[in-house]
Amino acid sequence: MTQFQLTANALDKMKNNEVEDPVLQILQIKQSNTTPPKYAAMISDGTQLTWGYFNREFTQMFEEKKIKLYTVISVSSFFSRILPKRGLIYLISRMTIVGQADKMIGNPKAQRQQPNNQNNQPNQTQTQNQNQNQNQNQNQPQNQPQNQQQNQQQNQQQNQQQNQTQNKFNQNQQQNQQQNWNQNQQQNRSNQNQQQNVNQRMQRPTTHGGEHSVTPISGIENFLYGQFTLRVRVTFKSDKRNFRNNKGQLFNADLIDEEGEEIRITFFNDQVEKYYDYLEKGKAYYVSGASVRQANKAFSPLKNDNELSANSNTIIEACSDENLPYHNFNFDPIDQILVCNPGKFVSVLAIVKQVGQLQDIPTKNRGMTKKLSVLIGDQSGAVIEVTFWGDRANNLKIPTDTEKGYVLALRGSKVGHFNNTNNLSIVSSTQIFHNPEFGPIVQDLRKWWQSGGKDQKTNSLMRSVRSLPENWHIDEEKKTLSAIEEENLGANNPKGDMIFVRATLTHLSRTDRLYYPSCPSCKKRVQEQGGGWFCFKCQQQMNSPQYRYTMTINLADHTGSFQASVFSPHAEELIGMECDQIRNLKEVQGDDSKFQEIMKNAEFKRGHWALKIQENEYEGKSRKKATLLDFHIIDDFRAASKILLKEIQQYL
C-alpha cells in the first residue's frame, strides 16, 4: 500500500505564502447547483483542514471521479480569501493528482479561522496576539490554577510564560506584559477593520499588483461573494440604454486580464452615473466588490460562463496597463459559421467581396432605419452576408472597389438564418476593425486574396427543415394553433419545428413589401447597382430582376390566430396570379380596386397548413416566427369530413 506524506503545517504556511506545491488530502466534496457545476472540497494537511474551491477546469476530473474522497493532490497555485460564513478558504487554480489513499491521513482539526492581515497574509505575531487577547488583567499571578483561569477569564490574566507554553502556535516566549498589552490593543483595532471589510463583502489589496493581491478572471467563482480584485483592460463599452419601462438605465463593458481571459460587467442605475464617464475603452483598472452570476449567452459574445454585476460595494480604480493585452481573438472560419446554430456569437476575419447599396427599411413601429449588406469571404472558400443596421450602416466607410482586398474583422457578430442559409448581423456589442494589423493572420489572408482568392468560386452551404411527407394533409395529425405556444415550438431546434394545422386564412397583407426583386437563379434578393441589378450570392449582374412574393398571412382557428410568412410559389397559388402581374397591376396600371378585389378573393379559405416554427430574438425579446411550407385548401368537404371522422375515431 502506497504511503503518502502530506506537507506538515501546510495550511498555516499557505496563509503566509511560505510553502510551494503543498501536498494535501481531499476529505469531503460538495457540488454547486449551477450549470455547469463547480466543486468545493475539504482539504487537509494531516493536522488542520479547511475548505478549498476549485476552478471550473477541474469539474470534469470531479465528475469522472479522478478526484474523490481521500485523493492526495499537490497544489501549485492558490489564493486565500475570507468568506463571511466560512472564514478563511483557498481558491485552487492549479494542482496535480499525487495518488489515491484508502483512508484519512492524520487526525486533522478545523483550521483556526483567524482573519489574515490586510493582504490576506497573516504573520505569526498576529497568530500569537489572537490567543493572548483572551487575557484582560496584566497583574494576574503566574501560578493560578487553570480552572480558576476559565472562571475569571474576563478579569484576570495568566502569566505570559504559562500562556505561551499552552499555545502550540506561540513562538515568542519572552515578551514583557506591557508589550503584550500594546499589541493586544493594536490587534483589536486590526480585527475590527478586517471585520468591516468582510461585512462589505469585498477585498482591497494594500499594494496593488502584489503577489496574490489580484485574482485572474479564470479564478472567479460566484461563491466568493465579490471578494476578489481584478486587474483588467476595458476592450468594449456599450452606450447607455434605458429599460423598456424607462425606470432605469444600464450599460456594460468587456474586460480582459493579463492571461487573455475575458468577462463582461454590467452597471445599473446609480452605478451607471458613477462609472459610465469614468471607464474608458482601452484603459486599465482594478475592479473589486462586483457580484458574479451566470452569463446569459443570448446577449453576451464572450466565451466566459460567468459575468459580473456592479453594486454599491463595487470599487473601480485606474491602474497601470503593463502586460495587459488589448484583445483576444478567436476567429471562426466562414464555412463553419454557415452550418452553426443561429443565435450564436462569432468572430470572423475576412475580405470584403462586395458592398451593397444603403437602403431605407421600414420598422415595426412605423419608422425607418438604414440597412447595408456586405458580402465577405475567407480562405475556407465560403462567403456570408453581413448586415449592418442604423447608424452603423450609415457611417460604414468601406470602398466599393475591393480589388486590392479590404480586410474586415468582426468580433461578436450574431448568426442569423434567412431563406435556408445563415447570415451575420451587427448588433450593439459587435466590435468592427477596418484593415486591422493583427500580424501573420492578416498577412496570410491578404496573400490568399491576391494569389487567386478574389477569383475563387464560393461555396454555398444551406440548411433546411426536414422535407414534407407525402399526403401530409391526409396522414399527418393536425394540431391547433395554440400548440405553437403550448409546446414551445422552435425554442430548442434552431432549424425549426414543423406543425400541421387546420385553420382559416383570414387576412392577406397588402403592404408595399408584398414582393421583392430577386435573382432568377438563386431566388435571393438583388440590389440595384450601376444601372442594373447585382446578385451577391451568384456574383452576377443582370438587366432586370424577377419579382417574388414575400407576404404575411393570418391563420385562425377556435383556439386563436397566428401570422405566417409566405413566399413564392405558394403565394402565387394562394392569390392566383404571378408576382409580375400583381406588380404591373399595382405599380404600372395603378388599378387599386382590382388589386384589392384579387386579394379579397384569396381570403377566408379553410385548409390544412404545414408551418415551420422558429424562435429568434428581436430587440432583446424572443419571438416565434412561422413560415408556410405547404398548404391544401379544403374544397371537397365530404372528403374532409371523412378525414375528420377518422381522426375522431382515434380518440374513441
Short mmCIF file of all heavy atoms in Angstrom, two decimals, residues 537-589:
data_model
loop_
_atom_site.label_atom_id
_atom_site.label_comp_id
_atom_site.label_asym_id
_atom_site.label_seq_id
_atom_site.Cartn_x
_atom_site.Cartn_y
_atom_site.Cartn_z
N LYS A 537 -25.04 36.56 -54.02
CA LYS A 537 -24.76 35.13 -53.90
C LYS A 537 -24.14 34.55 -55.17
O LYS A 537 -23.16 33.81 -55.12
CB LYS A 537 -26.05 34.38 -53.55
CG LYS A 537 -25.82 32.91 -53.27
CD LYS A 537 -27.09 32.24 -52.80
CE LYS A 537 -26.83 30.78 -52.48
NZ LYS A 537 -28.05 30.07 -52.05
N CYS A 538 -24.74 34.87 -56.31
CA CYS A 538 -24.24 34.34 -57.58
C CYS A 538 -23.10 35.17 -58.17
O CYS A 538 -22.48 34.76 -59.15
CB CYS A 538 -25.37 34.24 -58.59
SG CYS A 538 -26.72 33.13 -58.10
N GLN A 539 -22.89 36.36 -57.57
CA GLN A 539 -21.83 37.24 -58.06
C GLN A 539 -22.02 37.57 -59.55
O GLN A 539 -21.08 37.48 -60.35
CB GLN A 539 -20.47 36.61 -57.83
CG GLN A 539 -20.08 36.42 -56.36
CD GLN A 539 -19.72 37.73 -55.68
OE1 GLN A 539 -18.67 38.31 -55.92
NE2 GLN A 539 -20.61 38.18 -54.82
N GLN A 540 -23.25 37.93 -59.92
CA GLN A 540 -23.51 38.23 -61.32
C GLN A 540 -24.41 39.46 -61.45
O GLN A 540 -25.21 39.76 -60.57
CB GLN A 540 -24.16 37.04 -62.02
CG GLN A 540 -25.54 36.68 -61.51
CD GLN A 540 -26.15 35.50 -62.26
OE1 GLN A 540 -25.48 34.84 -63.05
NE2 GLN A 540 -27.42 35.23 -62.03
N GLN A 541 -24.23 40.16 -62.57
CA GLN A 541 -25.00 41.34 -62.89
C GLN A 541 -26.14 40.96 -63.84
O GLN A 541 -26.01 40.03 -64.65
CB GLN A 541 -24.10 42.40 -63.55
CG GLN A 541 -24.69 43.79 -63.63
CD GLN A 541 -24.46 44.59 -62.37
OE1 GLN A 541 -23.68 44.19 -61.52
NE2 GLN A 541 -25.12 45.73 -62.27
N MET A 542 -27.28 41.65 -63.76
CA MET A 542 -28.43 41.38 -64.63
C MET A 542 -29.12 42.69 -64.97
O MET A 542 -29.02 43.68 -64.24
CB MET A 542 -29.38 40.40 -63.95
CG MET A 542 -30.01 40.93 -62.67
SD MET A 542 -30.77 39.63 -61.69
CE MET A 542 -29.30 38.81 -61.06
N ASN A 543 -29.83 42.67 -66.09
CA ASN A 543 -30.53 43.88 -66.54
C ASN A 543 -31.81 44.11 -65.75
O ASN A 543 -32.15 45.25 -65.43
CB ASN A 543 -30.83 43.78 -68.03
CG ASN A 543 -29.57 43.80 -68.88
OD1 ASN A 543 -28.59 44.45 -68.52
ND2 ASN A 543 -29.59 43.07 -69.99
N SER A 544 -32.54 43.04 -65.47
CA SER A 544 -33.80 43.17 -64.74
C SER A 544 -33.98 41.96 -63.83
O SER A 544 -33.56 40.85 -64.18
CB SER A 544 -34.99 43.29 -65.71
OG SER A 544 -35.08 42.14 -66.52
N PRO A 545 -34.59 42.14 -62.67
CA PRO A 545 -34.77 41.04 -61.74
C PRO A 545 -36.10 40.32 -61.98
O PRO A 545 -36.94 40.75 -62.78
CB PRO A 545 -34.77 41.74 -60.39
CG PRO A 545 -35.44 43.06 -60.68
CD PRO A 545 -35.04 43.44 -62.07
N GLN A 546 -36.26 39.24 -61.27
CA GLN A 546 -37.54 38.54 -61.21
C GLN A 546 -38.18 38.86 -59.87
O GLN A 546 -37.56 38.68 -58.82
CB GLN A 546 -37.35 37.03 -61.34
CG GLN A 546 -38.65 36.24 -61.23
CD GLN A 546 -38.41 34.74 -61.22
OE1 GLN A 546 -37.29 34.29 -61.06
NE2 GLN A 546 -39.46 33.96 -61.39
N TYR A 547 -39.42 39.34 -59.89
CA TYR A 547 -40.08 39.71 -58.64
C TYR A 547 -40.76 38.49 -58.03
O TYR A 547 -41.39 37.69 -58.72
CB TYR A 547 -41.09 40.83 -58.89
CG TYR A 547 -40.42 42.17 -59.07
CD1 TYR A 547 -40.02 42.59 -60.34
CD2 TYR A 547 -40.16 42.99 -57.98
CE1 TYR A 547 -39.38 43.80 -60.51
CE2 TYR A 547 -39.53 44.21 -58.14
CZ TYR A 547 -39.14 44.60 -59.40
OH TYR A 547 -38.50 45.81 -59.56
N ARG A 548 -40.59 38.37 -56.69
CA ARG A 548 -41.13 37.23 -55.96
C ARG A 548 -41.92 37.74 -54.76
O ARG A 548 -41.58 38.76 -54.16
CB ARG A 548 -40.01 36.29 -55.49
CG ARG A 548 -39.28 35.61 -56.62
CD ARG A 548 -38.05 34.85 -56.12
NE ARG A 548 -38.40 33.84 -55.14
CZ ARG A 548 -38.82 32.61 -55.45
NH1 ARG A 548 -38.95 32.26 -56.73
NH2 ARG A 548 -39.11 31.73 -54.51
N TYR A 549 -42.95 36.99 -54.41
CA TYR A 549 -43.79 37.37 -53.28
C TYR A 549 -43.05 37.18 -51.95
O TYR A 549 -42.27 36.25 -51.77
CB TYR A 549 -45.06 36.51 -53.24
CG TYR A 549 -46.10 36.87 -54.26
CD1 TYR A 549 -46.37 36.03 -55.33
CD2 TYR A 549 -46.83 38.05 -54.13
CE1 TYR A 549 -47.35 36.35 -56.27
CE2 TYR A 549 -47.81 38.38 -55.07
CZ TYR A 549 -48.06 37.53 -56.13
OH TYR A 549 -49.02 37.85 -57.05
N THR A 550 -43.31 38.08 -51.01
CA THR A 550 -42.93 37.91 -49.61
C THR A 550 -44.01 38.58 -48.77
O THR A 550 -43.93 39.76 -48.43
CB THR A 550 -41.54 38.53 -49.31
OG1 THR A 550 -41.32 38.52 -47.90
CG2 THR A 550 -41.40 39.93 -49.85
N MET A 551 -45.04 37.80 -48.45
CA MET A 551 -46.22 38.37 -47.80
C MET A 551 -46.46 37.71 -46.45
O MET A 551 -45.84 36.69 -46.12
CB MET A 551 -47.45 38.18 -48.68
CG MET A 551 -47.83 36.73 -48.92
SD MET A 551 -49.42 36.56 -49.77
CE MET A 551 -49.08 37.39 -51.29
N THR A 552 -47.38 38.29 -45.72
CA THR A 552 -47.78 37.76 -44.42
C THR A 552 -49.26 37.43 -44.46
O THR A 552 -50.07 38.24 -44.94
CB THR A 552 -47.51 38.78 -43.30
OG1 THR A 552 -46.13 39.11 -43.29
CG2 THR A 552 -47.89 38.20 -41.94
N ILE A 553 -49.60 36.25 -43.96
CA ILE A 553 -50.99 35.85 -43.87
C ILE A 553 -51.34 35.62 -42.41
O ILE A 553 -50.47 35.39 -41.57
CB ILE A 553 -51.28 34.57 -44.68
CG1 ILE A 553 -50.50 33.38 -44.10
CG2 ILE A 553 -50.97 34.77 -46.15
CD1 ILE A 553 -50.86 32.04 -44.74
N ASN A 554 -52.63 35.70 -42.11
CA ASN A 554 -53.12 35.43 -40.76
C ASN A 554 -54.01 34.20 -40.79
O ASN A 554 -54.99 34.15 -41.55
CB ASN A 554 -53.89 36.63 -40.22
CG ASN A 554 -54.17 36.49 -38.73
OD1 ASN A 554 -53.28 36.69 -37.90
ND2 ASN A 554 -55.40 36.13 -38.38
N LEU A 555 -53.65 33.20 -39.98
CA LEU A 555 -54.43 31.98 -39.86
C LEU A 555 -55.16 31.99 -38.52
O LEU A 555 -54.62 32.46 -37.51
CB LEU A 555 -53.52 30.75 -39.95
CG LEU A 555 -52.72 30.59 -41.25
CD1 LEU A 555 -51.79 29.40 -41.16
CD2 LEU A 555 -53.65 30.45 -42.45
N ALA A 556 -56.38 31.42 -38.51
CA ALA A 556 -57.17 31.42 -37.27
C ALA A 556 -57.92 30.10 -37.15
O ALA A 556 -58.36 29.51 -38.15
CB ALA A 556 -58.14 32.59 -37.25
N ASP A 557 -58.05 29.63 -35.91
CA ASP A 557 -58.93 28.52 -35.59
C ASP A 557 -59.64 28.85 -34.28
O ASP A 557 -59.58 29.99 -33.80
CB ASP A 557 -58.18 27.18 -35.53
CG ASP A 557 -57.13 27.13 -34.43
OD1 ASP A 557 -57.09 28.07 -33.59
OD2 ASP A 557 -56.33 26.18 -34.38
N HIS A 558 -60.30 27.86 -33.67
CA HIS A 558 -61.08 28.14 -32.47
C HIS A 558 -60.22 28.44 -31.25
O HIS A 558 -60.74 28.88 -30.22
CB HIS A 558 -62.00 26.95 -32.16
CG HIS A 558 -61.27 25.69 -31.80
ND1 HIS A 558 -60.63 24.90 -32.74
CD2 HIS A 558 -61.05 25.09 -30.59
CE1 HIS A 558 -60.07 23.87 -32.13
NE2 HIS A 558 -60.30 23.96 -30.84
N THR A 559 -58.88 28.22 -31.34
CA THR A 559 -58.00 28.48 -30.19
C THR A 559 -57.26 29.81 -30.29
O THR A 559 -56.64 30.24 -29.33
CB THR A 559 -56.97 27.35 -30.04
OG1 THR A 559 -56.10 27.35 -31.20
CG2 THR A 559 -57.65 26.00 -29.92
N GLY A 560 -57.30 30.44 -31.44
CA GLY A 560 -56.58 31.71 -31.59
C GLY A 560 -56.12 31.92 -33.02
O GLY A 560 -56.65 31.31 -33.97
N SER A 561 -55.12 32.78 -33.19
CA SER A 561 -54.62 33.10 -34.53
C SER A 561 -53.09 33.19 -34.49
O SER A 561 -52.49 33.34 -33.42
CB SER A 561 -55.21 34.42 -35.03
OG SER A 561 -54.83 35.49 -34.19
N PHE A 562 -52.50 33.11 -35.69
CA PHE A 562 -51.04 33.18 -35.79
C PHE A 562 -50.68 33.67 -37.19
O PHE A 562 -51.31 33.28 -38.17
CB PHE A 562 -50.40 31.81 -35.54
CG PHE A 562 -49.01 31.89 -34.99
CD1 PHE A 562 -48.78 31.94 -33.63
CD2 PHE A 562 -47.91 31.94 -35.84
CE1 PHE A 562 -47.50 32.02 -33.12
CE2 PHE A 562 -46.63 32.02 -35.34
CZ PHE A 562 -46.43 32.06 -33.97
N GLN A 563 -49.66 34.55 -37.26
CA GLN A 563 -49.21 35.05 -38.54
C GLN A 563 -48.11 34.16 -39.11
O GLN A 563 -47.31 33.59 -38.37
CB GLN A 563 -48.68 36.48 -38.41
CG GLN A 563 -49.77 37.51 -38.18
CD GLN A 563 -49.23 38.93 -38.23
OE1 GLN A 563 -48.04 39.17 -38.10
NE2 GLN A 563 -50.13 39.89 -38.45
N ALA A 564 -48.09 34.05 -40.44
CA ALA A 564 -47.08 33.23 -41.11
C ALA A 564 -46.58 33.97 -42.34
O ALA A 564 -47.33 34.69 -43.01
CB ALA A 564 -47.65 31.87 -41.49
N SER A 565 -45.29 33.78 -42.64
CA SER A 565 -44.70 34.36 -43.85
C SER A 565 -44.90 33.39 -45.01
O SER A 565 -44.75 32.18 -44.86
CB SER A 565 -43.21 34.62 -43.63
OG SER A 565 -43.00 35.55 -42.59
N VAL A 566 -45.22 33.96 -46.17
CA VAL A 566 -45.47 33.15 -47.37
C VAL A 566 -44.62 33.70 -48.51
O VAL A 566 -44.59 34.91 -48.74
CB VAL A 566 -46.96 33.16 -47.76
CG1 VAL A 566 -47.20 32.23 -48.95
CG2 VAL A 566 -47.83 32.76 -46.60
N PHE A 567 -43.94 32.79 -49.22
CA PHE A 567 -43.10 33.19 -50.34
C PHE A 567 -43.59 32.48 -51.60
O PHE A 567 -44.45 31.59 -51.56
CB PHE A 567 -41.64 32.83 -50.06
CG PHE A 567 -41.10 33.46 -48.79
CD1 PHE A 567 -41.08 32.74 -47.60
CD2 PHE A 567 -40.63 34.75 -48.78
CE1 PHE A 567 -40.60 33.30 -46.43
CE2 PHE A 567 -40.14 35.34 -47.62
CZ PHE A 567 -40.13 34.61 -46.44
N SER A 568 -43.02 32.88 -52.71
CA SER A 568 -43.31 32.17 -53.96
C SER A 568 -42.73 30.76 -53.86
O SER A 568 -41.70 30.56 -53.21
CB SER A 568 -42.67 32.91 -55.14
OG SER A 568 -43.18 34.23 -55.24
N PRO A 569 -43.36 29.73 -54.47
CA PRO A 569 -44.55 29.80 -55.34
C PRO A 569 -45.88 29.65 -54.59
O PRO A 569 -46.93 29.70 -55.22
CB PRO A 569 -44.33 28.62 -56.28
CG PRO A 569 -43.65 27.60 -55.41
CD PRO A 569 -42.76 28.38 -54.49
N HIS A 570 -45.81 29.43 -53.24
CA HIS A 570 -47.07 29.23 -52.52
C HIS A 570 -47.95 30.47 -52.58
O HIS A 570 -49.19 30.36 -52.63
CB HIS A 570 -46.77 28.87 -51.06
CG HIS A 570 -45.97 27.61 -50.90
ND1 HIS A 570 -46.32 26.44 -51.51
CD2 HIS A 570 -44.83 27.35 -50.20
CE1 HIS A 570 -45.45 25.49 -51.20
NE2 HIS A 570 -44.52 26.03 -50.41
N ALA A 571 -47.33 31.66 -52.60
CA ALA A 571 -48.12 32.88 -52.65
C ALA A 571 -48.88 32.99 -53.98
O ALA A 571 -50.03 33.45 -54.02
CB ALA A 571 -47.21 34.09 -52.46
N GLU A 572 -48.24 32.56 -55.10
CA GLU A 572 -48.93 32.57 -56.38
C GLU A 572 -50.17 31.68 -56.35
O GLU A 572 -51.22 32.01 -56.91
CB GLU A 572 -47.99 32.11 -57.50
CG GLU A 572 -47.06 33.18 -58.02
CD GLU A 572 -45.72 33.16 -57.30
OE1 GLU A 572 -45.64 32.55 -56.22
OE2 GLU A 572 -44.77 33.79 -57.81
N GLU A 573 -50.03 30.51 -55.69
CA GLU A 573 -51.15 29.58 -55.62
C GLU A 573 -52.29 30.16 -54.78
O GLU A 573 -53.47 29.96 -55.10
CB GLU A 573 -50.68 28.26 -55.02
CG GLU A 573 -49.64 27.53 -55.86
CD GLU A 573 -49.15 26.26 -55.19
OE1 GLU A 573 -49.94 25.66 -54.44
OE2 GLU A 573 -47.98 25.89 -55.40
N LEU A 574 -51.95 30.88 -53.72
CA LEU A 574 -53.00 31.48 -52.88
C LEU A 574 -53.72 32.60 -53.61
O LEU A 574 -54.96 32.70 -53.58
CB LEU A 574 -52.39 32.01 -51.58
CG LEU A 574 -52.09 31.00 -50.48
CD1 LEU A 574 -51.37 31.68 -49.33
CD2 LEU A 574 -53.38 30.36 -49.98
N ILE A 575 -52.96 33.48 -54.27
CA ILE A 575 -53.54 34.66 -54.91
C ILE A 575 -54.12 34.32 -56.27
O ILE A 575 -55.14 34.90 -56.70
CB ILE A 575 -52.48 35.77 -55.02
CG1 ILE A 575 -52.04 36.20 -53.61
CG2 ILE A 575 -53.01 36.97 -55.79
CD1 ILE A 575 -50.94 37.22 -53.60
N GLY A 576 -53.47 33.39 -56.96
CA GLY A 576 -53.96 33.03 -58.29
C GLY A 576 -53.36 33.86 -59.40
O GLY A 576 -53.83 33.80 -60.54
N MET A 577 -52.31 34.64 -59.11
CA MET A 577 -51.65 35.46 -60.12
C MET A 577 -50.15 35.47 -59.89
O MET A 577 -49.68 35.38 -58.75
CB MET A 577 -52.17 36.91 -60.09
CG MET A 577 -53.60 37.08 -60.58
SD MET A 577 -54.06 38.83 -60.66
CE MET A 577 -53.04 39.39 -62.02
N GLU A 578 -49.39 35.56 -61.00
CA GLU A 578 -47.94 35.67 -60.89
C GLU A 578 -47.58 37.01 -60.24
O GLU A 578 -48.33 37.99 -60.34
CB GLU A 578 -47.30 35.59 -62.28
CG GLU A 578 -47.47 34.25 -62.98
CD GLU A 578 -46.68 33.15 -62.30
OE1 GLU A 578 -45.65 33.50 -61.66
OE2 GLU A 578 -47.07 31.98 -62.39
N CYS A 579 -46.40 37.05 -59.61
CA CYS A 579 -45.97 38.26 -58.90
C CYS A 579 -45.78 39.43 -59.86
O CYS A 579 -46.13 40.57 -59.53
CB CYS A 579 -44.68 37.97 -58.14
SG CYS A 579 -44.16 39.32 -57.06
N ASP A 580 -45.23 39.17 -61.03
CA ASP A 580 -45.03 40.25 -62.00
C ASP A 580 -46.36 40.86 -62.42
O ASP A 580 -46.46 42.07 -62.69
CB ASP A 580 -44.27 39.73 -63.22
CG ASP A 580 -42.80 39.47 -62.92
OD1 ASP A 580 -42.25 40.20 -62.08
OD2 ASP A 580 -42.22 38.54 -63.51
N GLN A 581 -47.42 40.04 -62.52
CA GLN A 581 -48.73 40.54 -62.89
C GLN A 581 -49.31 41.45 -61.80
O GLN A 581 -49.88 42.50 -62.10
CB GLN A 581 -49.68 39.36 -63.16
CG GLN A 581 -49.30 38.52 -64.37
CD GLN A 581 -50.21 37.31 -64.53
OE1 GLN A 581 -50.36 36.50 -63.62
NE2 GLN A 581 -50.83 37.19 -65.70
N ILE A 582 -49.17 41.02 -60.55
CA ILE A 582 -49.65 41.85 -59.44
C ILE A 582 -48.89 43.16 -59.39
O ILE A 582 -49.48 44.24 -59.19
CB ILE A 582 -49.53 41.08 -58.11
CG1 ILE A 582 -50.63 40.03 -58.00
CG2 ILE A 582 -49.59 42.04 -56.93
CD1 ILE A 582 -52.02 40.58 -57.78
N ARG A 583 -47.57 43.11 -59.58
CA ARG A 583 -46.77 44.33 -59.56
C ARG A 583 -47.18 45.27 -60.69
O ARG A 583 -47.27 46.49 -60.51
CB ARG A 583 -45.28 43.98 -59.66
CG ARG A 583 -44.37 45.21 -59.68
CD ARG A 583 -42.91 44.80 -59.71
NE ARG A 583 -42.06 45.98 -59.83
CZ ARG A 583 -41.69 46.52 -60.98
NH1 ARG A 583 -42.10 45.98 -62.14
NH2 ARG A 583 -40.92 47.59 -61.01
N ASN A 584 -47.43 44.72 -61.86
CA ASN A 584 -47.85 45.53 -63.00
C ASN A 584 -49.22 46.17 -62.74
O ASN A 584 -49.45 47.35 -63.04
CB ASN A 584 -47.91 44.67 -64.26
CG ASN A 584 -48.30 45.48 -65.49
OD1 ASN A 584 -47.55 46.34 -65.94
ND2 ASN A 584 -49.49 45.20 -66.02
N LEU A 585 -50.12 45.38 -62.13
CA LEU A 585 -51.44 45.90 -61.82
C LEU A 585 -51.38 47.02 -60.79
O LEU A 585 -52.08 48.02 -60.90
CB LEU A 585 -52.32 44.75 -61.31
CG LEU A 585 -53.78 45.08 -60.95
CD1 LEU A 585 -54.57 45.46 -62.20
CD2 LEU A 585 -54.43 43.90 -60.25
N LYS A 586 -50.51 46.87 -59.83
CA LYS A 586 -50.44 47.84 -58.72
C LYS A 586 -49.60 49.06 -59.05
O LYS A 586 -49.99 50.20 -58.75
CB LYS A 586 -49.90 47.13 -57.48
CG LYS A 586 -49.94 47.97 -56.22
CD LYS A 586 -49.43 47.18 -55.03
CE LYS A 586 -49.47 48.02 -53.75
NZ LYS A 586 -48.95 47.30 -52.58
N GLU A 587 -48.42 48.87 -59.67
CA GLU A 587 -47.48 49.97 -59.86
C GLU A 587 -47.57 50.60 -61.25
O GLU A 587 -47.36 51.81 -61.39
CB GLU A 587 -46.05 49.48 -59.61
CG GLU A 587 -45.80 49.04 -58.18
CD GLU A 587 -44.34 48.73 -57.92
OE1 GLU A 587 -43.49 49.09 -58.77
OE2 GLU A 587 -44.04 48.14 -56.86
N VAL A 588 -47.83 49.79 -62.26
CA VAL A 588 -47.86 50.33 -63.63
C VAL A 588 -49.25 50.84 -63.97
O VAL A 588 -49.44 52.00 -64.37
CB VAL A 588 -47.40 49.26 -64.64
CG1 VAL A 588 -47.45 49.83 -66.07
CG2 VAL A 588 -45.99 48.79 -64.31
N GLN A 589 -50.26 49.97 -63.83
CA GLN A 589 -51.62 50.37 -64.16
C GLN A 589 -52.26 51.22 -63.06
O GLN A 589 -53.15 52.02 -63.32
CB GLN A 589 -52.48 49.13 -64.41
CG GLN A 589 -51.98 48.25 -65.56
CD GLN A 589 -52.86 47.04 -65.77
OE1 GLN A 589 -54.01 46.99 -65.35
NE2 GLN A 589 -52.30 46.03 -66.45
#
